[in-house]
Each structure stands twice: as structure tokens, then as C-alpha cells.
Amino acid sequence: MTAGEVTVGEPSLPNGPPLPVLLQSFLFGKYRHRYIPLLRRRYGDIFTIRMAPHNRTIVQLTRPEDIKRVFTGSPDVFHAGEGNAVLEPIMGNRSVLLLDGGEHMRVRQLLMPAFNGAALRGYGNMIAEITRAQVATWPVGSAFAVQKYTQRLTLEIILQVVFGVTDEQRLAELRPVVAGVVDLNIVTMIGWYYKPLRRVWPWRRFAQLRSRLDELIYAEIAERRLATDLGRRTDVLSTLLSVSPQESLTDAELRDNLITLLLAGHETTATALAWALHDLARNDAVQRRAQQAADEGDTHYLEAVAKEAMRLHPVIYEVVRKLKQPVEIGGHLLAAGVSVMPGVGVVQSDPANFPHPEEFDPTRFIDSQPAANTWIPFGGGVRRCIGAGFSLVEAAAVLQEVLGRFDVVAERQRPEPAASRNITLAPSRGSRIVLKRR
């Protein structure tokens, strides 16, 4: 029986905590990296939680075989768009992350040429140039929270490489607005669905920021549509506008997907880089090997460093699919309307999947490859993140520039715990390091 087949019988749900929905939502939103492992110890490999908004029933999956059922199942049965509905206030309802079925495939196919192998090779020089300029401004010899600097760097890469904005005045307008929108936390996202809250802080401020960001993005789209040199431009927006009018995305679709690329490619990559530098600062042997790779241009090893940081410190702790038909998973017949949540963080820290999972060891991605559905920071199946390749190219370029110039030292040897930041998990102190010239 495949994951897409409809089964008959009496629907059942795994056990789960009997806590009130709002309390479960708070615990998940703020402490999911502690809450979910605790529930797994209490209830086993599959369990049920309930979440706001709309009192959603969510079944958490932590075994690779159950996660495989989701990723290989029919996208007509496992709706990722509906599962990501909490992101709609910020990304919009035309985002590739929130669409399902034929509309999702149409938008995804229009976006894909901007992220294929040839396109990624074309972005390399732009990313390297921006990275060199940015890293040259980082503090040397004194402790600082590197995540703030990786955020500035990845934002600059997104604005210039994805949006194609190079005018300094336009960049100066975009930077603070984008930073404000990115600071949206999960509680504010969920609260947006309760309309009376929109009249009060911080939801009123979010509405203002979103409106201003829309103005700037629509102005950029309108101006770019009039450009006569689209064929010579290499940024993502120009690539998307270079197709025939019959195939092109509408302005509203462009807006939602540019914001999706901005948020998915800015915050997540910046946080993954902060975690990578956090771990390199605490492992001299791995850092020396990574510096050798930087000197030799060995991007394969540098990508392995980034992959291992993503494994050990999952920036996104889970992905979600909403069932449109009953499906049997893990010995339970789950009814239509239930959401299933493959646990990225849990499966990547399971010693059954990664021996000594607490150790930072990039050779896991050099000597062999992880088993299927055990390393899933970009999701899986037909909904795998289209920007995965871009993210790894970007991470390797940044690590090469930083490690080619500096030794990275931890301010404190004790590791920083993860803390919830909107939908991501980041170093609690911003990954405080000291850079020393080699």
C-alpha cells in the first residue's frame, strides 16, 4: 500500500499531551526543540499535538520510514501549502510554499530555471564579491555576535542576487523594512489570525511594515518590467521576467514568491552560517581542515561543514503536510484534515541515524551520504526547497572567505543553546566569536 492510497477502517490518533491548545502552541512556538524530544520520550515515535490557529490536529513523525511515506506520497493527498498556512500573513497566498496541486507545480516550474545548475554557477562571482566586501567590515580581535553580520550579508546577497537591486538608495530603503519583517515571531504570526489583535502592537506595526515592503517590491517589479536589458541581467527577478508574457508570473505572484525567497533564503542561511562558525570555533581540528579547504578552493568540504551544521542545529525544526484523504501511517489511520509533521530536528539527532549525533563531524557528508529521510533540512519529495542548491553555494562561499582570512575563536567554550526566533532556531547569544587574522 502506498502513502497516497485511501484506506478504510476507523480513524485513530496516536496519544499526545492533554494540555490546552494555547499552552501547547506556546510551548511549541517557543521551545519546540525541547518540547518535541520530551514528548517523543513520553509518547514514542509518533504522537499527536494540537495547535493554534483553528485548533489544528498535528501528528508528529520521527521515524525515517514514516517520513518517507509523507515525502513520497501523492501531493494531491499530502498538501504542503495548507500545512504552511501559518506563513500566509508574511508570504502571501500565492507563495510556492502555500500553493498545492497544479498551481504549485506551475509556479514551481517557473521558478526552477533561476535555481538550476547553470544559474547557480552564474551567481557565484556575485556572491563572492558581496561576501568579500561584507566580511571586510567584520570586527577583528574582539568578541561579537556573528549572526547579526551573517544576516546583513545574506540579506545583501538576496537583495542584489535575487532582487537585482544594486542602487544604494533603493537598498537603503529596503534593508530596515526587511529586517523589521524578518523579526516577526511565531506568536505574532499565529496572533494575526485573530483580527481584533491587528489593531494593537505588535500586529499593527507588522501591518505597517508589510505594507511598506509591498510598496517597495511592487515598485521594483514595475521598474524592472520596463528594463530593456533583461537578457543581460543575471539576477533572479530579471530571469523570472525574461520568459514570454503567457508564461510569466503576475505581479502579485512575483511579490509573494520574492518575499518567500527573501525569508527562506535570508534568515535560514544566515542562521546556518552562524551555527557553522559557532561549531568551528569549538573544534580546532575541523577548523584547520576547513581552512585548508578554503585555501584550496575545496567547496565540497565547505559544503559538508554547512550540511553538518544544519544537521546538528536544524534551523527549521519541522515540516508540515495536511491530509486531504485518510492515510495509514505508523499503525494509525489518520483522517482527512489531520496534519502530519516530519520532525527534522528529532530525526537528525537520532543516534540510530547518526552515530554520536552530538559531535560536529563534516565527514559524515564526505565519506558517505546519510540514509534517505534522515537529513532533511530542505524537506523532501516534490516539495523539496528549490533554493537548497543556492543556500549551499552561498554557505560555501562565505565560509571560504571567512576561513581564508581568519582563525575563529569562541568567546566562551561552552556551546550556546538554541533559542526560538520566529520560525527558526538560532544561537541564543548570536554565536559570539572572536576573529583573529591568520
PDB file of all heavy atoms in Angstrom, residues 306-319:
ATOM      1  N   ALA A 306      28.767  23.079   6.179  1.00  0.00           N
ATOM      2  CA  ALA A 306      27.441  23.690   6.278  1.00  0.00           C
ATOM      3  C   ALA A 306      26.362  22.637   6.505  1.00  0.00           C
ATOM      4  O   ALA A 306      25.452  22.823   7.333  1.00  0.00           O
ATOM      5  CB  ALA A 306      27.146  24.495   5.015  1.00  0.00           C
ATOM      6  N   LYS A 307      26.452  21.518   5.805  1.00  0.00           N
ATOM      7  CA  LYS A 307      25.462  20.449   5.968  1.00  0.00           C
ATOM      8  C   LYS A 307      25.468  19.890   7.389  1.00  0.00           C
ATOM      9  O   LYS A 307      24.416  19.625   7.975  1.00  0.00           O
ATOM     10  CB  LYS A 307      25.732  19.331   4.959  1.00  0.00           C
ATOM     11  CG  LYS A 307      25.395  19.684   3.520  1.00  0.00           C
ATOM     12  CD  LYS A 307      25.746  18.521   2.591  1.00  0.00           C
ATOM     13  CE  LYS A 307      25.373  18.831   1.151  1.00  0.00           C
ATOM     14  NZ  LYS A 307      25.720  17.721   0.240  1.00  0.00           N
ATOM     15  N   GLU A 308      26.667  19.711   7.945  1.00  0.00           N
ATOM     16  CA  GLU A 308      26.749  19.170   9.302  1.00  0.00           C
ATOM     17  C   GLU A 308      26.211  20.155  10.322  1.00  0.00           C
ATOM     18  O   GLU A 308      25.564  19.767  11.303  1.00  0.00           O
ATOM     19  CB  GLU A 308      28.197  18.780   9.621  1.00  0.00           C
ATOM     20  CG  GLU A 308      28.436  18.295  11.043  1.00  0.00           C
ATOM     21  CD  GLU A 308      27.756  16.971  11.399  1.00  0.00           C
ATOM     22  OE1 GLU A 308      26.904  16.484  10.624  1.00  0.00           O
ATOM     23  OE2 GLU A 308      28.072  16.426  12.476  1.00  0.00           O
ATOM     24  N   ALA A 309      26.442  21.451  10.093  1.00  0.00           N
ATOM     25  CA  ALA A 309      25.859  22.460  10.985  1.00  0.00           C
ATOM     26  C   ALA A 309      24.338  22.428  10.898  1.00  0.00           C
ATOM     27  O   ALA A 309      23.639  22.551  11.913  1.00  0.00           O
ATOM     28  CB  ALA A 309      26.388  23.844  10.626  1.00  0.00           C
ATOM     29  N   MET A 310      23.796  22.237   9.684  1.00  0.00           N
ATOM     30  CA  MET A 310      22.344  22.140   9.514  1.00  0.00           C
ATOM     31  C   MET A 310      21.784  20.887  10.166  1.00  0.00           C
ATOM     32  O   MET A 310      20.644  20.877  10.630  1.00  0.00           O
ATOM     33  CB  MET A 310      21.999  22.144   8.025  1.00  0.00           C
ATOM     34  CG  MET A 310      22.290  23.437   7.309  1.00  0.00           C
ATOM     35  SD  MET A 310      21.963  23.278   5.530  1.00  0.00           S
ATOM     36  CE  MET A 310      22.580  24.868   4.920  1.00  0.00           C
ATOM     37  N   ARG A 311      22.587  19.814  10.190  1.00  0.00           N
ATOM     38  CA  ARG A 311      22.133  18.580  10.856  1.00  0.00           C
ATOM     39  C   ARG A 311      22.110  18.750  12.363  1.00  0.00           C
ATOM     40  O   ARG A 311      21.120  18.457  13.031  1.00  0.00           O
ATOM     41  CB  ARG A 311      23.056  17.405  10.500  1.00  0.00           C
ATOM     42  CG  ARG A 311      22.607  16.079  11.138  1.00  0.00           C
ATOM     43  CD  ARG A 311      23.732  15.077  11.253  1.00  0.00           C
ATOM     44  NE  ARG A 311      24.772  15.480  12.184  1.00  0.00           N
ATOM     45  CZ  ARG A 311      24.695  15.365  13.513  1.00  0.00           C
ATOM     46  NH1 ARG A 311      23.600  14.886  14.085  1.00  0.00           N
ATOM     47  NH2 ARG A 311      25.706  15.734  14.287  1.00  0.00           N
ATOM     48  N   LEU A 312      23.224  19.233  12.896  1.00  0.00           N
ATOM     49  CA  LEU A 312      23.371  19.335  14.347  1.00  0.00           C
ATOM     50  C   LEU A 312      22.477  20.417  14.938  1.00  0.00           C
ATOM     51  O   LEU A 312      21.989  20.282  16.065  1.00  0.00           O
ATOM     52  CB  LEU A 312      24.841  19.633  14.671  1.00  0.00           C
ATOM     53  CG  LEU A 312      25.270  19.622  16.133  1.00  0.00           C
ATOM     54  CD1 LEU A 312      24.952  18.291  16.802  1.00  0.00           C
ATOM     55  CD2 LEU A 312      26.764  19.923  16.242  1.00  0.00           C
ATOM     56  N   HIS A 313      22.249  21.478  14.174  1.00  0.00           N
ATOM     57  CA  HIS A 313      21.431  22.606  14.646  1.00  0.00           C
ATOM     58  C   HIS A 313      20.373  22.925  13.596  1.00  0.00           C
ATOM     59  O   HIS A 313      20.518  23.887  12.838  1.00  0.00           O
ATOM     60  CB  HIS A 313      22.300  23.837  14.883  1.00  0.00           C
ATOM     61  CG  HIS A 313      23.502  23.595  15.732  1.00  0.00           C
ATOM     62  ND1 HIS A 313      23.436  23.460  17.106  1.00  0.00           N
ATOM     63  CD2 HIS A 313      24.810  23.455  15.407  1.00  0.00           C
ATOM     64  CE1 HIS A 313      24.657  23.273  17.592  1.00  0.00           C
ATOM     65  NE2 HIS A 313      25.498  23.253  16.578  1.00  0.00           N
ATOM     66  N   PRO A 314      19.318  22.131  13.505  1.00  0.00           N
ATOM     67  CA  PRO A 314      18.311  22.398  12.473  1.00  0.00           C
ATOM     68  C   PRO A 314      17.692  23.782  12.647  1.00  0.00           C
ATOM     69  O   PRO A 314      17.143  24.099  13.701  1.00  0.00           O
ATOM     70  CB  PRO A 314      17.280  21.288  12.692  1.00  0.00           C
ATOM     71  CG  PRO A 314      17.488  20.838  14.100  1.00  0.00           C
ATOM     72  CD  PRO A 314      18.950  21.005  14.376  1.00  0.00           C
ATOM     73  N   VAL A 315      17.802  24.591  11.619  1.00  0.00           N
ATOM     74  CA  VAL A 315      17.252  25.948  11.670  1.00  0.00           C
ATOM     75  C   VAL A 315      15.727  25.892  11.624  1.00  0.00           C
ATOM     76  O   VAL A 315      15.044  26.614  12.335  1.00  0.00           O
ATOM     77  CB  VAL A 315      17.819  26.786  10.507  1.00  0.00           C
ATOM     78  CG1 VAL A 315      17.200  28.176  10.492  1.00  0.00           C
ATOM     79  CG2 VAL A 315      19.341  26.882  10.623  1.00  0.00           C
ATOM     80  N   ILE A 316      15.194  25.025  10.762  1.00  0.00           N
ATOM     81  CA  ILE A 316      13.756  24.741  10.709  1.00  0.00           C
ATOM     82  C   ILE A 316      13.564  23.366  11.321  1.00  0.00           C
ATOM     83  O   ILE A 316      14.141  22.381  10.857  1.00  0.00           O
ATOM     84  CB  ILE A 316      13.231  24.764   9.256  1.00  0.00           C
ATOM     85  CG1 ILE A 316      13.508  26.117   8.606  1.00  0.00           C
ATOM     86  CG2 ILE A 316      11.749  24.426   9.227  1.00  0.00           C
ATOM     87  CD1 ILE A 316      12.781  27.282   9.233  1.00  0.00           C
ATOM     88  N   TYR A 317      12.756  23.282  12.361  1.00  0.00           N
ATOM     89  CA  TYR A 317      12.701  22.061  13.167  1.00  0.00           C
ATOM     90  C   TYR A 317      11.703  21.032  12.643  1.00  0.00           C
ATOM     91  O   TYR A 317      11.730  19.881  13.073  1.00  0.00           O
ATOM     92  CB  TYR A 317      12.341  22.428  14.615  1.00  0.00           C
ATOM     93  CG  TYR A 317      12.764  21.394  15.626  1.00  0.00           C
ATOM     94  CD1 TYR A 317      14.109  21.240  15.972  1.00  0.00           C
ATOM     95  CD2 TYR A 317      11.834  20.565  16.227  1.00  0.00           C
ATOM     96  CE1 TYR A 317      14.511  20.281  16.891  1.00  0.00           C
ATOM     97  CE2 TYR A 317      12.221  19.610  17.157  1.00  0.00           C
ATOM     98  CZ  TYR A 317      13.560  19.477  17.478  1.00  0.00           C
ATOM     99  OH  TYR A 317      13.955  18.529  18.399  1.00  0.00           O
ATOM    100  N   GLU A 318      10.835  21.427  11.697  1.00  0.00           N
ATOM    101  CA  GLU A 318       9.801  20.519  11.240  1.00  0.00           C
ATOM    102  C   GLU A 318       9.231  21.009   9.910  1.00  0.00           C
ATOM    103  O   GLU A 318       9.418  22.176   9.545  1.00  0.00           O
ATOM    104  CB  GLU A 318       8.663  20.418  12.258  1.00  0.00           C
ATOM    105  CG  GLU A 318       7.834  21.680  12.406  1.00  0.00           C
ATOM    106  CD  GLU A 318       8.566  22.830  13.058  1.00  0.00           C
ATOM    107  OE1 GLU A 318       9.227  22.619  14.080  1.00  0.00           O
ATOM    108  OE2 GLU A 318       8.474  23.956  12.513  1.00  0.00           O
ATOM    109  N   VAL A 319       8.602  20.122   9.174  1.00  0.00           N
ATOM    110  CA  VAL A 319       7.801  20.491   8.011  1.00  0.00           C
ATOM    111  C   VAL A 319       6.417  19.886   8.204  1.00  0.00           C
ATOM    112  O   VAL A 319       6.242  18.958   8.999  1.00  0.00           O
ATOM    113  CB  VAL A 319       8.434  20.006   6.688  1.00  0.00           C
ATOM    114  CG1 VAL A 319       9.757  20.695   6.440  1.00  0.00           C
ATOM    115  CG2 VAL A 319       8.626  18.487   6.702  1.00  0.00           C
TER     116      VAL A 319
END
